[in-house]
Amino acid sequence: AKQVELERERAKQEELERERQAEENRKQEQLEKERMQNQLPTDSKMTYMIAQYDFDASEENDLGFVTGDTIEFIEDLDGDWYRGRIGSREGIFPASYVLPAESPEVESNKEVSESQSKSGEQYIAAFDYESEEPGDLTFSTGEVITVTEKIDKDWWRGEIGNREGIFPAAFVESQDNF
């Protein structure tokens, strides 16, 4: 009688485990279905997001950005947080701060993402730019700046010699204009 009772208990435990696993599978299927409905990328093809709000990186693994930035989407971590890349910087950020680049809401930013593909161009500083912000590139009128990334229409990343940083695009002119 004791052996039968032990077998029933083991069968009951196995049934509970199968039910738990089935519930976990249903949750995964539901998440996948929601991902498809939201048209978020689930494969490895390169997809971009456009920042709708500024996000300050407060943690080491955060990816900070400003409104209008184009972010290469890497992965959806949990529906609320994504992993992405801007240039050589990679980190996590709130999903609610971005929209897919294909969305009609961000069509107006198309010229920004198209201009981002250009890099290595040389520009001349039209004005002095002084900044105390870490990560900014300061320069004087007439200095030649090699643009390494057009972050958005207002802010670019560039280098002068061994100095590198971001600067306002309005402070430089194409060498063609000189």
Side-chain angles (χ1 to χ4, degrees), residues 7-132:
E7 287 180 26
R8 283 185 186 160
E9 185 61 32
R10 187 173 42 227
K12 193 181 210 181
Q13 291 295 333
E14 288 173 358
E15 181 62 27
L16 287 172
E17 179 59 26
R18 279 193 296 275
E19 287 175 12
R20 188 194 64 72
Q21 188 63 42
E23 180 62 26
E24 185 64 32
N25 290 342
R26 280 192 292 277
K27 285 180 183 177
Q28 288 296 330
E29 288 170 8
Q30 182 63 30
L31 281 173
E32 189 64 28
K33 189 176 179 181
E34 288 172 14
R35 222 180 245 129
M36 295 298 280
Q37 287 171 342
N38 292 334
Q39 297 179 340
L40 294 177
T42 55
D43 58 19
S44 61
K45 76 174 188 180
M46 194 177 293
T47 304
Y48 292 92
M49 305 293 222
I50 304 294
Q52 301 302 298
Y53 312 98
D54 293 356
F55 176 63
D56 294 323
S58 58
E59 300 289 327
E60 187 178 330
N61 64 343
D62 287 351
L63 177 65
F65 48 76
V66 295
T67 304
D69 277 358
T70 300
I71 303 159
E72 180 185 342
F73 177 87
I74 296 175
E75 69 176 317
D76 179 347
L77 298 175
D78 63 7
D80 294 328
W81 288 85
Y82 294 161
R83 178 174 308 285
R85 180 181 302 121
I86 300 174
S88 62
R89 297 183 303 120
E90 185 176 310
I92 66 171
F93 56 93
S96 60
Y97 279 51
V98 297
L99 287 173
E102 302 82 34
S103 294
E105 295 92 338
V106 297
E107 198 60 34
S108 62
N109 289 330
K110 199 172 200 173
E111 70 279 356
V112 171
S113 56
E114 287 172 359
S115 71
Q116 282 187 323
S117 62
K118 300 177 184 174
S119 63
E121 298 173 65
Q122 295 207 323
Y123 287 78
I124 306 288
F127 309 97
D128 291 349
Y129 177 62
E130 295 292 326
S131 174
E132 298 296 317

Side-chain angles (χ1 to χ4, degrees), residues 121-176:
E121 298 173 65
Q122 295 207 323
Y123 287 78
I124 306 288
F127 309 97
D128 291 349
Y129 177 62
E130 295 292 326
S131 174
E132 298 296 317
E133 288 294 317
D136 280 9
L137 178 65
T138 59
F139 48 78
S140 302
T141 304
E143 283 192 271
V144 177
I145 301 160
T146 301
V147 174
T148 56
E149 177 185 8
K150 292 184 177 180
I151 299 167
D152 62 27
K153 65 182 177 59
D154 297 320
W155 286 92
W156 295 351
R157 181 176 312 282
E159 52 191 34
I160 302 170
N162 63 353
R163 296 183 293 133
E164 182 200 35
I166 64 170
F167 60 92
F171 279 59
V172 297
E173 291 185 11
S174 171
Q175 282 191 320
D176 297 340

